[in-house]
Amino acid sequence: MEFEEIRPYHDEELPQVFEELIADPAFQQVACAVMPGVPFEAIAQKMRASKTKQEFQENLCYGILHKLAKDTTDGLILESMAVLNKQSAYTYVSNHRDIILDSGFLSVLLVEQGLDTVEIAIGDNLLIYPWIKKLVRINKCFTVQRALTMRQMLESSIRMSRYMHYTIAEKKQSIWIAQREGRAKDSNDVTQDSVLKMLAMGGDGDIITNLQELNIVPLSISYEYDPCDYLKAQEFQLKRDIPDYKKTTDDDLLNMQTGLLGYKGRLCFRMASCINEDLGELERTLPKPELFVAISALIDKRIHANYRIFATNYVAHDLLYKEERFVEHYTAEDKKRFISYIDGQLERITLPNKDVDFLREKLLLMYANPLTNYLAATK
């Protein structure tokens, strides 16, 4: 009962939830938009035929994600699988580029390796409509509760951590969680201490032992092109110009839609090995703040060192810093194509007082930062 508010649905709850979704006009509209040409009756039939969350993912989600990969990417790559024991459950801690597809594409790639899909930590701020909340719980999501008082936040963090420890140890079910709350808008991916503190709350041992119980695997996600880059740049200017600027529900929906349907180029998911041994080598008697800083640095270094660096990253770095440091890593055509791409994304920004120089710099920074961090992690 402790996890009722946050857990995914149990399989026996699915028939009732399917009927609620099938009867929801908003869900019908979205389902038909995502699967054009497929009658809604056929979608409903596939849902009703799914007896488990896994079957639902195989019958519906797997095909949709495959089609999205085919239509909006130049290929998905998963590397470093050899480090994983198929009998173990892992907590994949990754950088965060896309609200839905980071965990969605990871699950597709794991299924292709004969592994189970992951349970996914998702912020309740994204559960904008009742149908979204139901759909994500069918898709093995558990809820990160936001916008709470300090006391409620502590209680919520303890419960979520206990749930994750239970999921790894008892359910033998792997988990995906982002290294920070929300996406890094400038692609400077740094693990938040608050995420690690939450992960360490759930066990009965000290910080190191509790984190080792979760079998943390740092996961690097590299996008050749980020379809939401112009929206992120726009948000930077809005935050600069409007001190109390806050994103709206419509903004979140636009980010989800753009991330799903926009062109991404090549995508690479690269796994480091489980960090349990490295955690064991840390000095357990360090003051807690220093210990969390050391653990964050350990995870960050693994994520940064495993980025796939594309020509887009090299060109952006040279343009941003007005250098020709990396010219051997790209052609004149690569550079021309990337400049043209950035110009096109700038045109999509519709702010009344558009600061083009500022926006261009932010866009270049998003593509340069992974290379900056990769160089620091691998020197």
Side-chain angles (χ1 to χ4, degrees):
M1 293 300 287
E2 181 187 3
F3 308 128
E4 285 301 296
E5 275 187 80
I6 63 169
R7 65 169 174 79
Y9 288 124
H10 298 312
D11 290 340
E12 59 270 21
E13 296 172 296
L14 295 180
Q16 171 69 32
V17 181
F18 288 155
E19 294 308 322
E20 290 169 12
L21 279 174
I22 288 164
D24 186 326
F27 173 75
Q28 292 173 20
Q29 192 178 349
V30 170
C32 291
V34 170
M35 290 179 270
V38 180
F40 184 71
E41 294 72 30
I43 298 170
Q45 191 177 352
K46 278 193 172 185
M47 289 170 70
R48 289 178 175 129
S50 305
K51 303 304 178 202
T52 64
K53 296 186 289 295
Q54 185 83 10
E55 282 182 17
F56 176 82
Q57 290 181 317
E58 288 167 2
N59 292 345
L60 278 145
C61 305
Y62 187 79
I64 292 167
L65 286 164
H66 246 291
K67 186 173 187 317
L68 278 171
K70 185 166 162 289
D71 293 348
T72 71
T73 82
D74 293 329
L76 298 180
I77 310 153
L78 178 63
E79 295 179 351
S80 309
M81 282 301 298
V83 298
L84 297 186
N85 174 349
K86 291 194 176 185
Q87 270 57 60
S88 293
Y90 295 96
T91 302
Y92 300 104
V93 176
S94 85
N95 59 316
H96 193 15
R97 290 286 176 271
D98 185 84
I99 295 167
I100 298 167
L101 293 180
D102 290 350
S103 53
F105 282 153
L106 172 64
S107 282
V108 165
L109 291 164
L110 289 173
V111 166
E112 289 176 354
Q113 295 292 329
L115 294 162
D116 193 2
T117 55
V118 289
E119 284 202 14
I120 300 156
I122 186 168
D124 62 3
N125 56 306
L126 300 173
L127 309 182
I128 298 160
Y129 302 121
W131 70 263
I132 294 181
K133 188 168 186 177
K134 288 172 186 167
L135 189 61
V136 300
R137 290 182 72 194
I138 295 168
N139 268 302
K140 296 165 75 166
C141 291
F142 59 95
T143 310
V144 182
Q145 295 170 306
R146 308 230 199 265
L148 302 173
T149 65
M150 285 299 287
R151 182 177 172 176
Q152 288 172 326
M153 187 66 78
L154 180 63
E155 290 169 359
S156 173
S157 294
I158 292 169
R159 178 169 59 225
M160 186 162 125
S161 187
R162 284 173 54 78
Y163 177 75
M164 291 178 72
H165 281 259
Y166 159 75
T167 299
I168 295 288
E170 303 296 326
K171 292 165 71 176
K172 301 285 190 259
Q173 164 72 65
S174 290
I175 290 168
W176 174 87
I177 188 168
Q179 67 182 154
R180 48 165 290 148
E181 181 182 325
R183 296 164 299 162
K185 302 293 190 293
D186 58 0
S187 302
N188 182 23
D189 301 314
V190 180
T191 303
Q192 282 178 335
D193 288 355
S194 57
V195 171
L196 293 177
K197 287 173 185 170
M198 180 278 293
L199 294 176
M201 285 174 175
D204 298 321
D206 62 7
I207 289 168
I208 297 293
T209 302
N210 290 352
L211 290 176
Q212 285 174 324
E213 286 175 5
L214 290 172
N215 299 330
I216 292 170
V217 170
L219 169 69
S220 309
I221 303 175
S222 306
Y223 278 58
E224 190 172 13
Y225 293 93
D226 178 351
C228 292
D229 51 17
Y230 77 100
L231 294 171
K232 293 172 181 175
Q234 181 171 283
E235 192 179 328
F236 272 118
Q237 187 181 329
L238 287 166
K239 283 183 171 169
R240 183 196 71 178
D241 297 346
I242 306 165
D244 55 351
Y245 171 77
K246 290 272 189 298
K247 273 202 308 185
T248 65
T249 298
D250 284 346
D251 292 328
D252 282 333
L253 279 173
L254 179 60
N255 272 274
M256 283 193 227
Q257 185 180 354
T258 306
L260 280 172
L261 303 177
Y263 173 68
K264 303 159 193 63
R266 289 168 291 173
L267 264 66
C268 181
F269 288 67
R270 199 175 271 166
M271 292 170 180
S273 48
C274 178
I275 64 168
N276 282 353
E277 277 186 36
D278 304 85
L279 288 173
E281 290 169 11
L282 293 174
E283 183 52 65
R284 290 172 189 255
T285 56
L286 279 173
K288 279 187 185 178
E290 288 180 37
L291 192 53
F292 282 119
V293 166
I295 299 164
S296 292
L298 169 65
I299 293 171
D300 292 347
K301 186 168 185 179
R302 292 289 180 84
I303 289 175
H304 296 164
N306 276 329
Y307 286 139
R308 170 80 179 271
I309 304 297
F310 298 105
T312 48
N313 305 113
Y314 289 116
V315 174
H317 201 286
D318 275 356
L319 290 172
L320 181 65
Y321 297 107
K322 299 178 172 57
E323 300 172 334
E324 293 195 338
R325 182 179 167 190
F326 298 109
V327 284
E328 72 275 15
H329 293 285
Y330 56 85
T331 63
E333 184 53 41
D334 289 332
K335 184 174 182 178
K336 187 179 166 190
R337 183 184 179 204
F338 184 68
I339 290 171
S340 170
Y341 170 81
I342 292 293
D343 289 342
Q345 293 301 82
L346 282 166
E347 282 177 21
R348 300 178 74 179
I349 297 173
T350 55
L351 296 173
N353 55 337
K354 191 166 157 182
D355 185 341
V356 174
D357 290 343
F358 173 84
L359 293 165
R360 185 186 302 278
E361 184 182 310
K362 290 299 182 189
L363 283 167
L364 292 177
L365 190 64
M366 287 173 211
Y367 289 93
N369 269 337
L371 175 56
T372 302
N373 286 331
Y374 170 80
L375 294 170
T378 54
K379 67 183 179 191

